[in-house]
Each structure stands twice: as structure tokens, then as C-alpha cells.
Amino acid sequence: MPNDSADRPRRIRMQRRGPLLVEGPVEVELEDGSTVSSDRFRVALCTCRRSRRYPWCDTSHRSRA
């Protein structure tokens, strides 16, 4: 039986003043070529680069929105 989640595209939700919300699990390749992964069902990727946990969002964008 095929894995239905592997057959469908990943959904990425964009927000005007916030992170990209990505249906997980995900593997993210960073600028230096290293990778980080999360097995959560949804992850928030930082787009403002203020996060102390980059590339994961820690809501630091809220303090200067």
C-alpha cells in the first residue's frame, strides 16, 4: 500500500508578518550545506532571521513587528 502522505505535495503557508508554516516532517538545508530536520507534523520556519533557534521560528518577529 503506498504512503498517501508521500504522494501528495507539501503544503507551505505564507504569512505577511510571520514564519512560513510547513507541513512536516521536514529536512532543511542551510546556507553552509548542513541540514536540520524536524519530525513534527507542522514546523514554523523563520523568515526574519531574528530567531535564536534559526531556521526554526521562536516568535522573535513579534517584538519588532
Side-chain angles (χ1 to χ4, degrees):
M1 179 191 300
N3 183 349
D4 291 335
S5 64
D7 294 337
R8 64 182 175 83
R10 294 278 181 221
R11 180 174 301 247
I12 300 172
R13 183 172 176 224
M14 298 178 74
Q15 301 181 82
R16 181 177 301 271
R17 292 188 180 173
L20 291 176
L21 298 177
V22 182
E23 289 183 2
V26 299
E27 182 176 274
V28 178
E29 183 175 334
L30 302 175
E31 292 172 303
D32 65 3
S34 63
T35 59
V36 293
S37 60
S38 173
D39 59 357
R40 298 183 66 167
F41 71 95
R42 183 176 298 136
V43 296
L45 295 175
C46 177
T47 58
C48 69
R49 293 189 166 262
R50 295 180 189 137
S51 175
R52 293 183 189 158
R53 299 179 52 226
Y54 188 83
W56 316 123
C57 179
D58 67 1
T59 68
S60 293
H61 60 275
R62 292 180 184 167
S63 63
R64 294 189 211 161

